């Protein structure tokens, strides 16, 4: 049981290049999330998928797109990378949607992205 | 203003002392408050959480208190050990433009000096 996995672990891009960050979970969770973590700013929600087949914008969605490929996988795409997207990206999952219900989120190991 | 404010940003204590980290939140309807610990280069991991119908919760050396009237909650670590050194994040379930989602504080770097 690997929990939440992410690929790649580290990536360097040039401005304008595109890439997709992959996330998968094997806990049969319904909800999945993408966060970015910047120094001094905590974790900010980019997009989430409350259940298979649905996606919604979070706090900082501009410049990103997502795909909930199936129940296990949730990918994050940068169509035209910018230096401001240099960050550490974390994927997370929870059994159900419901921050108000107290659904524990489990995080992946992160992807460190550098955009030059 | 920020939805979740966290203080202090850094905290240094001697081994065996207590550490307290405080957070305030803006949404009076928030009802779930988790705390995550993130060691250097690792993923955030949940260490304790509290719901709005409870004022305090303890788990060994860790406790969280919640004051809904004042809209603040705190993490208390007693008998600190070097392995407690990490960045700690508070979070609250905040309703922004859409569904209620977890909003994180900016983090507190705790250093426990041996």
């Amino acid at each position: 049981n690997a929990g939440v996995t992410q690929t790649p672990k580290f990536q360097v891009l040039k401005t304008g290049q595109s890439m997709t960050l992959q996330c998968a979970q094997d806990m049969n969770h319904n909800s999945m999330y993408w966060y970015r973590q910047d120094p001094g700013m905590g974790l900010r929600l980019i997009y989430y998928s409350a259940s298979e087949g649905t996606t919604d914008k979070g706090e900082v969605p501009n410049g990103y797109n997502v795909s909930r490929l199936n129940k296990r996988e949730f990918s994050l795409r940068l169509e035209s990378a910018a230096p401001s997207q240099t960050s550490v990206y974390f994927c997370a999952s929870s059994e159900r949607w419901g921050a108000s219900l107290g659904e524990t989120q489990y995080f992946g190991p992160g992807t460190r992205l550098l955009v030059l | 203003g920020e939805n979740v404010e966290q203080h202090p940003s850094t905290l240094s204590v001697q081994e065996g002392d207590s550490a307290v980290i405080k957070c305030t939140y803006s949404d009076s309807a928030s009802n779930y408050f988790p705390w995550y610990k993130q060691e250097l280069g690792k993923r955030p991991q949940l260490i304790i959480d509290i719901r709005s119908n409870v004022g305090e919760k303890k788990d060994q050396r860790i406790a969280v208190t919640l004051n809904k009237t004042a809209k603040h909650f705190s993490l208390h670590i007693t008998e600190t050990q070097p392995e407690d050194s990490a960045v700690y994040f508070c979070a609250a379930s905040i309703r922004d433009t859409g569904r209620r989602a977890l909003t994180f504080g900016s983090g507190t770097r705790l250093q426990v000096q041996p």
Side-chain angles (χ1 to χ4, degrees), chain B residues 16-89:
Chain B
D17 287 350
S18 295
V20 180
I21 302 170
K22 299 182 179 181
C23 290
T24 59
Y25 60 97
S26 58
D27 185 350
S28 58
S30 295
N31 56 4
Y32 175 58
F33 308 91
W35 285 87
Y36 283 82
K37 175 183 180 182
Q38 186 177 28
E39 296 176 355
L40 189 61
K42 302 286 183 65
R43 72 190 77 191
Q45 292 194 300
L46 180 74
I47 55 171
I48 195 168
D49 57 14
I50 192 168
R51 289 164 177 73
S52 60
N53 57 346
V54 176
E56 184 176 4
K57 183 177 179 181
K58 288 184 181 179
D59 183 2
Q60 299 182 332
R61 296 186 296 108
I62 294 173
V64 56
T65 58
L66 172 64
N67 184 326
K68 287 214 73 181
T69 302
K71 291 190 285 186
H72 69 71
F73 56 113
S74 300
L75 177 71
H76 304 253
I77 306 175
T78 59
E79 301 174 18
T80 54
Q81 301 167 3
E83 52 264 39
D84 293 329
S85 295
V87 178
Y88 292 81
F89 292 96

Side-chain angles (χ1 to χ4, degrees), chain A residues 2-5 35 37 40-45 48 50 54 56-59 90 97-110 112, chain B residues 2-3 29 31-34 36 38 41-46 49 51 87 89 92-107:
Chain A
V4 181
T5 57
Y35 292 91
Q37 184 176 37
M41 298 189 73
L43 291 147
R44 291 184 292 168
L45 184 63
Y48 62 92
T54 69
D56 285 288
K57 295 178 180 180
E59 181 186 354
F90 286 99
W97 171 264
S100 60
L101 300 176
E103 292 293 335
T104 300
Q105 293 188 19
Y106 297 87
F107 285 81
R112 191 172 297 273
Chain B
E2 294 180 9
N3 288 322
N31 56 4
Y32 175 58
F33 308 91
Y36 283 82
Q38 186 177 28
K42 302 286 183 65
R43 72 190 77 191
Q45 292 194 300
L46 180 74
D49 57 14
R51 289 164 177 73
V87 178
F89 292 96
S93 56
I94 302 283
R95 182 180 292 279
D96 195 354
T97 56
R99 305 187 199 212
R100 186 168 293 280
L102 277 183
T103 296
F104 287 80
S106 54

